[in-house]
Amino acid sequence: MRSIKNLRITESIQTEKLVFEESSYDKFDTISIYFGFSALAGASLLLLKEVDFSFNNSFECAILISLFICSVYVLYCKYTEKHLKEIKFEIPKEEAKSRIIEYGKKHHHRISKISGNLIFLNEPTDLYSLGKDYEQTTIVFFKNNAILYTLIKEGSRSNFPVLISQHLTKKDFKKILHPDYIEPIKRTTYFNSFFHGL
């Protein structure tokens, strides 16, 4: 898990933003990502100005536009990485907490920091890292009838922002925190599945 030193739980909930002491590596990593992808976005815009928009150059234009959009999206994800997203629920807080813990177990997350207002769901990332386990962490705070959450990632070379799984996680959380949600029946064998289908 990425080092989150002296996480201030109450302040994070009040400001709806992760408040903790960042290491010098994390600060350097953030500056590097901002610099690298700002340069890539700027370069793709400059090159777009030089290209004539015609059918012959459509492939070049598509690549440059894609590079620009991807760079801006990475910058946006890095900028909002510590901002907590809110999902409201109508079920009791303890029920919401147990549903999120069950969700973590179901998806084979390593669950840690379980307290009154905080849960960490850690999942492996960087499959090709040599012997070192890196993780993507979903940090979930509880605030009255809502959760505040964000996803942060650690990596072998860079703590690259989470790009896609944040949207999938939001969809999953909304689903499991809905009052009408029912945990699916586990079907372990073909026969079990067949008889449940009747």
Side-chain angles (χ1 to χ4, degrees):
M1 187 184 128
R2 201 155 126 197
S3 175
I4 301 178
K5 192 178 177 184
N6 295 332
L7 176 62
R8 297 181 189 73
I9 298 173
T10 307
E11 200 174 331
S12 295
I13 291 171
Q14 287 172 348
T15 60
E16 297 191 1
K17 187 176 179 181
L18 279 185
V19 181
F20 65 98
E21 288 178 27
E22 280 190 280
S23 68
S24 53
Y25 172 78
D26 283 335
K27 288 175 183 173
F28 176 75
D29 178 75
T30 301
I31 291 166
S32 300
I33 288 172
Y34 279 141
F35 178 77
F37 283 91
S38 295
L40 189 60
S44 57
L45 271 181
L46 287 172
L47 289 170
L48 264 173
K49 287 182 180 178
E50 302 296 320
V51 175
D52 293 326
F53 286 92
S54 66
F55 183 75
N56 293 336
N57 296 331
S58 59
F59 183 68
E60 290 174 24
C61 290
I63 288 176
L64 290 171
I65 290 168
S66 298
L67 271 176
F68 176 74
I69 291 170
C70 287
S71 299
V72 169
Y73 181 60
V74 168
L75 290 168
Y76 169 78
C77 288
K78 193 65 182 175
Y79 176 73
T80 59
E81 180 179 53
K82 292 180 205 157
H83 292 74
L84 302 174
K85 295 98 181 160
E86 183 178 61
I87 297 177
K88 294 188 175 179
F89 54 80
E90 297 171 8
I91 58 176
K93 180 180 169 182
E94 287 306 313
E95 175 67 19
K97 193 173 176 182
S98 72
R99 287 188 188 187
I100 288 174
I101 290 170
E102 282 306 309
Y103 168 83
K105 288 177 182 174
K106 181 181 172 185
H107 290 88
H108 309 290
H109 294 110
R110 182 176 63 79
I111 303 165
S112 60
K113 291 277 185 187
I114 301 172
S115 69
N117 291 322
L118 178 64
I119 298 175
F120 286 175
L121 303 174
N122 307 288
E123 59 183 311
T125 185
D126 277 6
L127 297 173
Y128 303 106
S129 58
L130 300 171
K132 183 135 170 74
D133 295 326
Y134 294 100
E135 291 180 322
Q136 174 178 295
T137 303
T138 305
I139 303 168
V140 183
F141 295 92
F142 290 86
K143 173 188 175 185
N144 301 327
N145 63 334
I147 61 164
L148 300 169
Y149 75 97
T150 192
L151 282 74
I152 60 170
K153 191 174 180 180
E154 66 175 344
S156 51
R157 294 198 178 99
S158 165
N159 293 331
F160 205 71
V162 176
L163 301 178
I164 297 168
S165 55
Q166 59 182 318
H167 304 294
L168 301 174
T169 301
K170 181 179 182 177
K171 184 181 173 186
D172 287 347
F173 280 172
K174 280 189 169 182
K175 182 180 173 184
I176 66 171
L177 294 174
H178 194 275
D180 300 331
Y181 175 75
I182 299 170
E183 184 71 29
I185 299 168
K186 291 182 182 177
R187 297 183 173 94
T188 52
T189 65
Y190 171 78
F191 292 105
N192 191 10
S193 175
F194 175 76
F195 286 116
H196 272 99
L198 293 176

